[in-house]
Amino acid sequence: MKNGNYIKYAFGSRCCHVDAVHAASPRADRFTDEIVTGIMAKTGCAGIIGTVSRTIADLNRPPGQGNDEAVWEYRDVISQFLYHSGLLAPGDRNLASPYLHVGIHGMKDQLHGPLSIEVGTIYGKTCSVGVRKWFGETLKARMKTVLPGTKVVFDKHWVGNQSLAAHRWGEGRRYSGYGKNYNAFQVEIARTLREHYRPEVIAVLAGVVAEFSGMFSRR
């Protein structure tokens, strides 16, 4: 992995990246860095792991006081991933075909239960209707096969931050976004799943990434 000032990252061979922006203590989403590393190893996709605590600079927020430099470093690396994937022509900002961004986060067991995952899309603003439907059906089916008692919900409590939608639709003049082919999901995983069923979670999410490449990639 390459080291930046606020993140470490690696390029991949798929039209997808996974990240764990809250992996650093204090207030870390524990085990999310291991999940991201595991998905990268199984699929060859790109990945980003935060190396700065959200208490210092939160990468899951728009740039502003205290986190401006960190967020722009994070966004610049995403841009590098997109050009590396071949989906962006030089000087262009609109993706030529679908791209998948899976953000791995951690939530407490108490919200939906110890075997639960909540996916945030800001009520569909971070992805297309078709990809959202496919992602939900695929994730639920794969989790049911591996851990039948797992509960998967969408946009109930952790719906995602507006900075996630900015990759798709932009953020005014300062960040134009990459258009309708950018599909981002904030995946909140309960503590029990992260701690005790990490291999199963990694296998499921790696399968989702691999299936996306086969279904939506035009490369």
Side-chain angles (χ1 to χ4, degrees):
M1 276 194 164
K2 297 183 178 182
N3 291 302
N5 293 321
Y6 303 95
I7 59 176
K8 57 183 179 180
Y9 59 96
F11 289 85
S13 59
R14 294 181 181 271
C15 296
C16 168
H17 82 265
V18 292
D19 62 40
V21 296
H22 292 155
S25 296
R27 290 188 62 202
D29 288 350
R30 294 194 62 192
F31 310 109
T32 56
D33 54 343
E34 296 178 38
I35 293 171
V36 163
T37 301
I39 297 168
M40 293 169 63
K42 283 184 174 291
T43 66
C45 73
I48 300 172
I49 295 174
T51 56
V52 61
S53 171
R54 75 179 89 189
T55 62
I56 299 172
D58 195 337
L59 299 171
N60 195 41
R61 295 291 183 273
Q65 186 176 6
N67 75 338
D68 195 80
E69 184 177 328
V71 171
W72 285 113
E73 179 180 83
Y74 170 64
R75 289 180 174 182
D76 179 66
V77 169
I78 291 176
S79 177
Q80 291 180 50
F81 286 169
L82 297 175
Y83 281 105
H84 179 77
S85 73
L87 299 183
L88 283 180
D92 197 357
R93 292 288 290 185
N94 289 312
L95 291 167
S97 62
Y99 184 86
L100 179 65
H101 169 182
V102 182
I104 305 298
H105 294 256
M107 64 179 178
K108 296 179 180 180
D109 287 352
Q110 290 85 342
L111 190 61
H112 301 301
L115 301 181
S116 63
I117 295 173
E118 179 169 356
V119 182
T121 69
I122 316 180
Y123 308 107
K125 292 182 180 179
T126 66
C127 56
S128 73
V129 173
V131 173
R132 186 180 189 273
K133 182 176 185 292
W134 165 83
F135 190 89
E137 291 175 349
T138 304
L139 179 60
K140 289 175 182 178
R142 287 180 175 272
M143 286 304 303
K144 184 178 181 180
T145 299
V146 174
L147 290 171
T150 304
K151 180 180 181 181
V152 179
V153 300
F154 270 68
D155 293 315
K156 297 294 185 182
H157 182 79
W158 300 110
V159 302
N161 187 269
Q162 62 180 332
S163 62
L164 199 63
H167 301 308
R168 183 175 172 86
W169 301 119
E171 197 175 64
R173 294 181 179 180
R174 58 183 178 175
Y175 190 55
S176 59
Y178 299 101
K180 63 182 182 180
N181 276 322
Y182 196 101
N183 299 277
F185 297 89
Q186 180 170 308
V187 180
E188 299 274 351
I189 304 171
R191 173 61 183 261
T192 294
L193 277 178
R194 284 179 283 131
E195 184 169 5
H196 300 293
Y197 298 97
R198 202 154 53 252
E200 292 85 350
V201 170
I202 290 170
V204 165
L205 291 173
V208 171
V209 168
E211 187 171 325
F212 177 87
S213 298
M215 289 190 64
F216 297 99
S217 175
R218 297 176 186 172
R219 293 186 68 188

